[in-house]
Amino acid sequence: MNHPLMGYYHRVQPRSSDPSRRGLAVDPESLRQHARLIRQRGLALRTVSDSLDAAGPGAAALSFDDGFADNLEYGVDALASEGGVGTVYVVVSAIRTAGGPAGEMLSLKELRQLAAAGWEIGSHSVSHPRLPELSEADQRAQVRDSKRQLEDLLGAAVRSFAYPYGLYSPVTVRLVQEAGYANAVTTAKRGGGTSRFEIPRLSLGGYGFRAVKQSLKLRLRLLFERPPAVAPS
Ligand SMILES: [Zn+2]
């Protein structure tokens, strides 16, 4: 394996909540269990960019696409209980504006709370298009402008990009590099070689039987992850 182990989700919702979009969600208890499995394997649960900087099998990263408010409500505690932090990939045009009612998507204030909790805020484009279907200029605007806008809003560097729908072309990859990102994640299970701009992630979200399957998938993948050279402190 050339990259640290990476998993991804969308929503974090208790089983009892609205069943809509459940296929995209993980319940907090399953998420906590995933973080525990990673820790018990001796891997540190870090942000996507930090896990890459750790350069080796000693780290893993769990990330959350689209920017749902429940990532803050449930995700932070679930990962922190196992000493970990996460990464959220935000669709910039969907950030809830100040003063609005509590909603599904993260507000700027909530994004700052995530950052203060040690989470990484990455870009998931301006409006979540299928990037390879756009002109180069439009792709560039999605990739570059989302980074600039997020950095202006957060006052911090945005280093990581997640391709919407996991879709990208060689042009997309080049534009992500030109925009100054340090890395980019896909939704492919494997592949990407050693490229920091085509990093595979395991899909780990799901309820019920699917959650059981996903835990098994994570356990199997952790078996193949080499233990860290140095014992975790
Ligand atoms: Zn998405």
Side-chain angles (χ1 to χ4, degrees), residues 115-223:
W119 280 44
E120 177 172 16
I121 314 297
S123 169
H124 198 32
S125 80
V126 174
S127 61
H128 209 283
R130 295 171 181 273
L131 288 171
E133 297 176 7
L134 301 184
S135 70
E136 181 168 334
D138 287 348
Q139 286 199 64
R140 183 181 292 109
Q142 289 282 339
V143 167
R144 186 190 58 191
D145 295 358
S146 60
K147 185 177 194 292
R148 287 182 182 169
Q149 289 171 24
L150 265 181
E151 288 177 343
D152 283 349
L153 290 168
L154 296 167
V158 171
R159 302 168 62 199
S160 192
F161 186 82
Y163 301 105
Y165 309 103
L167 297 173
Y168 61 94
S169 69
V171 171
T172 321
V173 172
R174 174 169 54 78
L175 292 171
V176 167
Q177 291 172 312
E178 286 174 4
Y181 291 96
N183 58 75
V185 296
T186 69
T187 55
K189 284 181 209 157
R190 293 180 188 277
T194 56
S195 170
R196 284 196 168 207
F197 296 90
E198 294 174 70
I199 299 169
R201 295 181 297 170
L202 288 177
S203 169
L204 294 174
Y207 281 95
F209 178 65
R210 187 171 157 82
V212 175
K213 267 177 58 185
Q214 301 289 51
S215 273
L216 185 62
K217 180 163 77 181
L218 178 60
R219 283 172 196 270
L220 284 171
R221 187 59 74 90
L222 284 167
L223 278 177

Side-chain angles (χ1 to χ4, degrees), residues 8-10 24 64-68 89 91 124-125 128 162-166 187 201:
Y8 78 98
Y9 313 84
H10 292 84
L24 287 175
F64 303 80
D65 287 2
D66 296 349
F68 286 100
Y89 288 104
V91 179
H124 198 32
S125 80
H128 209 283
Y163 301 105
Y165 309 103
T187 55
R201 295 181 297 170

Side-chain angles (χ1 to χ4, degrees), residues 221-233:
R221 187 59 74 90
L222 284 167
L223 278 177
F224 291 105
E225 195 78 9
R226 284 169 296 158
V230 180
S233 53

